[in-house]
Every structure is written in structure tokens, then in C-alpha cells.
């Protein structure tokens, strides 16, 4: 059996369909490029039959992203599979991923199908998918709540029909590590043609076990893990790519396995995703959280100074966390900026250096030392655009008997100007109200926080806003050296995310 674990990334499909993570076409393409640089083996680009936008995203990633296999998801019906095949047409390497639910609950209540009907449908789907590409993955949705004998029967039939990967997903995040191990072991020892396919797993994190369950599957012989960056995905999310990859790497002595991931790209890719979705990683999150490598206790610090391995199982550098002494400022040129962007792990060929350099110069006029965090913020700066732009804003903060007020000029989707003013409890509240009025949209503000993302009195502030609109959660973020401006830019970010999602839905 191979020592290589295939990393199947579903950030753009399972991740993107989760609440608050919707991405525009440009954002999906940018993320797909980052995933290719990260070295994932397969990019699941979307569900082609879901909507024309999803179709275009898959087709455009298939056309432009080289390196990884590009995969499209399809239910076991002719229309879905043909759309997937059509969307993947221009891919260098393509895979169609078909799925059908196999558990009794799903068969009886959702599909209203017998076991035999499920097998027949699975076989027909794999056969049709094979007419578009030799690389076909078959998934038994809710596999871990499926009768074991029936699971083995479906898997055998799918492989016989030509499936080259069989995926055993814990769709509802219900299983445990030993149960997962036993299931994969059972399939390996029971299904006669199992050697003709790669066993895969896809775990959800409802009980916080997605990574543990994926690793258990790997120990039992699975050689593909489906995962997402930052663990985003339906409900509590998916198996986190960075965690499963670093567990395999750090514990090579235990697993004896490897992945093709360029781990130094983990942090830049993870931060790009946060910037695109506007949802920020908790500080204590494994591998990628801000505190993941911070040692606060005196005993630990002393140990670290004597020998890093006393308390550090991974080097920060191995995931792309670097601290450099090169500080940029007003007099730094374009060349130094490009070097710094490269050093931070970004692919300078795919970044808009002109725009970043202009923003850099503007920031350098306001701020003496430009730090790594500042540069990252500049690179990510334009990740969320339109349809609304804030053209002008004036705020007065109230103190004593003055009332805080804000006046804004917004430019709308068709270039029309919208002017509004409002008063409020403080300048941020007033600005948010004025923006809502100008757009004619009312959102429910659930939270606003401002953190400094670089050091010093002239630090850049990063604002994060959480709002609810039409029963859904949305996140936005914005940066500026001025906290009111950072908050307003985060609010504009969230308004634009909502507008884009609404446009997509209608
Ligand atoms: Zn899933």
C-alpha cells in the first residue's frame, strides 16, 4: 500500500456552502490558486448542477488551475453527471465525484428507495461518469450509519462499475475513531475488489472528532482524506486540512506516511481564506491560531530558550509562520515590497502588485513602520469588492451634549449615488445606520470587535463584524489605522457579501 495520503480539498465545495462562507467567482479562483500552490492533490471545485454560478466556477477553475486534479460533485442522476462532465471539459486532470445516501434513515425518509434501487442507481451513475473521465469517485452518503454488509455491497458494486476512489463519509459527524477504524478495516478485508480503488474518508466535526476520525481511517488503510482549510464546512465544519497534514508530518514516526502538501504554505493559505470569507480563526486554534506557538508560562519559556523541542513539537517556520527583522517604511521601494510579499508566502505572479504598492505608499504616509501583518492586510485588501462602494464619509463623535452623527455617500451597483445621514450612540453606530439607510437594507448587528494587528501606537486596527440577515449569519472585516474607518470598512464588507449572496440566490 502507498505511503502517500491523497489530500482532497473541499474548501470550495463543502466549505463554501457553509453559512457565511459564500465566495464570488474571483475569490474562488484566487483560493484555488492558493490551494494549488499549497500542493493539494485534488480540488473539489463545486457542485456544477447547483446553479449557473457554480457551473461557471467549476469550469473556470478547470480551465485555469494546473497541477491538482479538478473535481466536480454530482448526485447520482444523469443531469448532474452531464453538467459535471461539461464543466470539467477543459481540465488538465479531472474527476467526477458521484454520491448517494446509503443509510436506512436516508434511504427510507429522503430517497424512499430500497437497497436494490440504491445499488442500481450507484452503478448507473459511476458508469455514466466513466464516459467523461477515468477518474471517478463514489461516495456513500451517511456511510457510518449504514448497515456494514450493505455498505460493503454498494462499495463492491461501485468499484466493479469503475469507481477508482470510494469515499466513506461520516456525513453527520457521528462516528468515533475506533468505529471508523473498524469500518475501514471491515471494508478492506471484506470487499473482494477493494484493491482496485483508493479508500477515502470525509469527516464532519459535530463532536470535535473530524481530524481524529480521519486519522483513524488512515491508520486502517484509507489513503485519501477529504478536508478543508481552517476546517470550514457544514455546521461544525470538516476535518481541518492543516491539522490532519501536520499530524501526519509531525508524527511520521507513528504513521509512517506522507502528503504532498508544502506545509510552509499553510499559514498564508489559511489567512487568505479568512480574509476572503471574513471569518476569523480563533486564537487558540491548532496549527493556525495566533497563540498556537505562543509560550506564556515562565517554565515553558525557560525550556524553550534552552532547547526549542522541550515544549515545541513543530517549528513555526514549517507552517509558514516567520518573524523577520526586515521592516518596511516610507522609503522602501517596490523591490523590497515584492521581496517581502514573497517571503510571506504569497505568489507574487498572481497578486496585483501595482494596487498593493499604491496602498502601501498610502499607508506609509500615515504609519512609520510597516509590519508583516500590515503587508498581509494590504495583500488581502481588495479581496472583497462590490457591488457597493463607500465614496465619502464624514463622522462626528459625540461627547458631553454633542450627538454623534455620520454622513455617507455610497455608489450602488449601477453607478447610482446614495446620500444619507444618521445620528447614533457613537460614530460607528451612526455610520452603520447611515449606510443601512443609503442602501435600504436593515441588518441585525450581532457583534463588533476591533483588534490591533500590528504593533505600536500607529498600529493597523482590524475590525470584525458579525450580522444576521434573512436568517443567515455573515461576517465582514476591514483594516485601517483609524478604528472607525476599520469598523465601517468591515461593515461595507459584510453588506457586500450579503448583496452578492442575494444576487446569487435570485
Ligand atoms: Zn461534507
Amino acid at each position: 500500500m502507498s505511503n502517500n495520503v491523497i489530500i482532497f480539498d473541499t474548501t470550495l465545495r463543502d466549505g463554501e456552502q457553509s453559512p457565511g462562507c459564500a465566495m464570488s467567482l474571483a475569490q474562488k479562483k484566487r483560493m484555488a490558486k492558493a490551494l494549488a500552490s499549497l500542493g493539494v492533490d485534488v480540488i473539489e471545485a463545486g457542485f456544477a448542477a447547483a446553479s449557473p454560478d457554480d457551473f461557471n466556477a467549476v469550469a473556470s477553475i478547470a480551465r485555469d488551475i494546473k497541477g491538482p486534479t479538478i473535481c466536480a460533485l454530482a448526485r447520482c442522476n444523469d443531469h448532474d453527471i452531464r453538467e459535471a462532465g461539461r464543466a470539467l471539459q477543459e481540465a488538465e486532470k479531472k474527476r467526477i465525484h458521484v454520491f448517494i445516501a446509503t443509510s436506512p434513515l436516508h434511504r427510507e425518509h429522503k430517497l424512499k428507495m430500497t437497497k436494490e434501487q440504491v445499488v442500481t442507481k450507484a452503478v448507473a451513475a459511476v458508469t455514466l461518469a466513466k464516459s467523461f473521465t477515468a477518474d471517478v469517485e463514489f461516495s456513500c452518503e451517511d456511510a457510518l450509519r449504514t448497515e456494514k454488509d450493505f455498505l460493503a455491497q454498494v462499495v463492491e458494486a461501485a468499484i466493479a462499475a469503475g469507481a477508482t476512489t470510494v469515499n466513506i463519509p461520516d456525513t453527520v459527524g457521528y462516528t468515533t475513531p475506533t468505529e471508523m477504524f473498524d469500518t475501514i478495516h471491515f471494508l478492506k478485508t471484506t470487499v473482494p475488489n477493494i484493491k482496485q480503488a483508493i479508500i477515502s474518508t470525509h469527516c464532519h466535526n459535530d463532536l470535535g472528532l473530524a481530524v481524529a476520525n480521519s486519522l483513524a481511517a488512515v491508520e486502517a488503510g484509507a489513503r485519501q482524506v477529504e478536508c478543508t482549510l481552517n476546517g470550514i464546512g457544514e455546521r461544525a465544519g470538516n476535518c481541518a486540512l492543516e491539522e490532519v497534514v501536520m499530524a501526519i508530518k509531525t508524527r511520521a514516526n507513528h504513521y509512517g506516511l506522507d502528503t504532498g502538501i508544502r506545509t510552509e504554505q499553510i499559514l498564508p493559505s489559511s489567512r487568505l481564506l479568512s480574509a476572503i470569507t471574513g471569518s476569523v480563526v480563533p486564537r487558540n486554534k491548532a496549527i493556525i491560531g495566533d497563540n498556537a506557538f505562543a509560550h506564556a508560562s515562565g517554565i515553558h519559556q525557560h525550556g524553550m530558550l534552552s532547547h526549542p523541542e522541550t515544549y515545541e513539537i513543530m517549528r513555526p517556520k514549517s507552517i509558514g509562520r516567520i518573524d523577520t527583522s526586515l521592516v518596511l517604511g516610507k522609503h522602501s521601494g517596490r523591490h523590497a515590497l515584492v521581496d517581502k510579499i514573497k517571503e510571506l508566502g504569497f505568489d507574487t505572479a498572481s497578486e496585483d502588485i501595482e494596487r498593493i504598492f499604491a496602498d502601501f505608499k498610502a499607508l506609509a504616509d500615515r504609519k512609520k513602520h510597516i509590519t508583516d501583518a500590515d503587508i498581509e492586510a494590504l495583500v488581502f485588501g481588495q479581496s472583497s469588492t462590490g457591488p457597493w462602494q463607500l465614496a465619502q464619509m464624514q463622522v462626528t463623535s459625540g461627547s458631553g451634549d454633542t450627538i454623534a452623527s455620520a454622513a455617507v455617500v455610497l455608489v450602488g451597483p449601477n453607478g447610482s449615488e446614495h446620500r444619507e445621514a444618521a445620528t447614533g450612540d457613537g460614530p460607528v453606530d451612526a455610520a452603520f445606520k447611515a449606510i443601512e439607510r443609503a442602501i435600504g437594507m436593515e441588518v441585525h448587528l450581532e457583534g463588533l470587535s476591533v483588534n490591533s494587528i500590528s504593533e505600536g501606537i500607529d498600529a493597523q486596527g482590524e475590525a470584525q463584524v458579525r450580522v444576521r440577515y434573512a436568517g443567515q449569519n455573515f461576517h465582514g472585516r476591514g483594516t485601517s489605522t483609524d478604528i472607525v474607518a476599520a469598523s465601517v470598512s468591515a461593515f461595507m464588507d459584510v453588506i457586500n457579501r450579503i448583496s452578492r449572496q442575494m444576487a446569487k440566490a435570485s
Side-chain angles (χ1 to χ4, degrees):
M1 202 186 338
S2 161
N3 286 337
N4 181 54
V5 178
I6 296 168
I7 299 297
F8 176 112
D9 180 278
T10 186
T11 304
L12 297 174
R13 202 276 300 164
D14 206 323
E16 203 260 348
Q17 75 191 34
S18 65
C21 289
M23 298 178 212
S24 67
L25 175 62
Q27 291 173 331
K28 281 186 188 172
K29 286 187 73 172
R30 185 155 188 204
M31 206 57 238
K33 258 187 202 164
L35 291 168
S37 321
L38 179 63
V40 307
D41 300 284
V42 185
I43 293 177
E44 188 164 55
F47 193 165
S51 73
D53 276 351
D54 287 84
F55 183 93
N56 289 338
V58 177
S60 146
I61 291 170
R63 185 173 57 241
D64 297 338
I65 305 296
K66 306 295 172 207
T69 298
I70 309 300
C71 173
L73 184 69
R75 287 168 298 187
C76 284
N77 67 54
D78 283 17
H79 174 73
D80 277 20
I81 297 166
R82 288 184 198 285
E83 288 294 280
R86 215 158 59 80
L88 289 171
Q89 226 155 30
E90 295 183 66
E92 194 178 61
K93 290 182 272 175
K94 55 185 135 184
R95 172 182 297 187
I96 296 180
H97 177 190
V98 294
F99 73 97
I100 191 164
T102 51
S103 68
L105 267 167
H106 283 240
R107 289 194 315 260
E108 283 152 32
H109 299 284
K110 188 176 83 179
L111 300 174
K112 304 199 189 314
M113 284 167 74
T114 64
K115 287 180 176 175
E116 291 65 35
Q117 287 171 319
V118 169
V119 175
T120 309
K121 231 174 165 180
V123 168
V126 172
T127 311
L128 178 60
K130 276 302 242 198
S131 68
F132 293 95
T133 170
D135 187 347
V136 173
E137 172 167 336
F138 172 76
S139 275
C140 315
E141 191 187 357
D142 205 15
L144 273 294
R145 291 192 302 173
T146 302
E147 307 90 329
K148 279 220 175 79
D149 294 339
F150 181 56
L151 188 64
Q153 187 194 335
V154 182
V155 165
E156 184 182 349
I159 296 173
T164 43
T165 302
V166 283
N167 185 37
I168 310 301
D170 182 22
T171 308
V172 292
Y174 177 73
T175 201
T176 68
T178 33
E179 198 172 68
M180 176 58 95
F181 184 97
D182 291 346
T183 305
I184 303 294
H185 182 74
F186 171 80
L187 294 173
K188 276 205 69 159
T189 48
T190 315
V191 176
N193 56 3
I194 196 76
K195 285 212 168 79
Q196 295 164 35
I198 287 168
I199 305 175
S200 165
T201 192
H202 173 115
C203 298
H204 277 271
N205 207 29
D206 299 70
L207 294 173
L209 292 172
V211 172
N213 289 336
S214 303
L215 289 168
V218 165
E219 287 199 87
R223 284 296 175 267
Q224 174 177 287
V225 171
E226 302 196 357
C227 47
T228 60
L229 271 172
N230 301 357
I232 66 168
E234 289 274 22
R235 307 183 307 280
N238 282 76
C239 170
L241 179 148
E242 64 279 2
E243 294 180 21
V244 82
V245 165
M246 288 313 287
I248 290 171
K249 183 181 164 106
T250 307
R251 297 308 313 277
N253 60 345
H254 176 77
Y255 293 106
L257 298 167
D258 208 354
T259 70
I261 297 296
R262 288 183 276 277
T263 61
E264 317 74 48
Q265 292 285 325
I266 285 180
L267 201 60
S269 324
S270 155
R271 288 193 174 155
L272 175 64
L273 179 65
S274 293
I276 286 177
T277 58
S279 80
V280 170
V281 166
R283 297 186 87 83
N284 64 334
K285 176 107 167 61
I287 318 290
I288 52 173
D290 281 349
N291 286 354
F293 291 87
H295 297 269
S297 102
I299 296 173
H300 285 211
Q301 285 172 350
H302 176 75
M304 287 285 297
L305 289 174
S306 327
H307 188 71
E309 277 174 31
T310 45
Y311 287 102
E312 196 170 76
I313 60 167
M314 296 169 270
R315 301 313 305 269
K317 217 181 149 188
S318 67
I319 60 145
R321 196 184 289 265
I322 44 160
D323 31 30
T324 51
S325 46
L326 176 64
V327 177
L328 301 183
K330 204 178 166 81
H331 302 292
S332 308
R334 208 188 141 87
H335 198 77
L337 178 70
V338 170
D339 280 352
K340 173 59 93 180
I341 294 172
K342 262 189 211 151
E343 192 186 68
L344 289 170
F346 295 101
D347 174 11
T348 46
S350 64
E351 298 298 342
D352 182 356
I353 300 295
E354 289 307 323
R355 194 270 303 160
I356 300 169
F357 189 59
D359 290 353
F360 168 76
K361 283 290 172 193
L363 180 65
D365 282 338
R366 284 177 283 133
K367 192 171 186 294
K368 203 162 156 213
H369 298 300
I370 312 276
T371 64
D372 291 358
D374 291 329
I375 303 290
E376 267 188 354
L378 291 175
V379 173
F380 296 150
Q382 302 287 304
S383 61
S384 148
T385 50
W388 292 94
Q389 306 284 349
L390 180 67
Q392 269 184 59
M393 176 176 76
Q394 199 164 31
V395 288
T396 54
S397 45
S399 64
D401 40 16
T402 331
I403 298 167
S405 65
V408 297
V409 181
L410 296 180
V411 180
N414 40 21
S416 54
E417 257 189 27
H418 302 245
R419 290 163 186 272
E420 270 298 344
T423 55
D425 305 328
V428 172
D429 183 48
F432 286 11
K433 279 186 181 145
I435 292 169
E436 281 184 315
R437 275 188 200 165
I439 294 175
M441 173 195 278
E442 219 171 292
V443 301
H444 184 260
L445 184 67
E446 301 240 302
L448 165 69
S449 63
V450 185
N451 291 300
S452 90
I453 51 169
S454 48
E455 282 163 23
I457 188 77
D458 56 356
Q460 285 218 88
E462 179 187 71
Q464 295 167 30
V465 213
R466 273 184 302 121
V467 306
R468 262 188 96 68
Y469 182 78
Q472 287 187 61
N473 294 317
F474 293 88
H475 305 261
R477 70 182 203 175
T479 49
S480 171
T481 50
D482 174 294
I483 61 169
V484 176
S487 306
V488 167
S489 124
F491 195 66
M492 287 302 298
D493 183 30
V494 96
I495 293 287
N496 278 319
R497 284 173 199 279
I498 296 171
S499 306
R500 288 196 300 266
Q501 177 132 332
M502 294 303 135
K504 194 173 161 182
S506 64

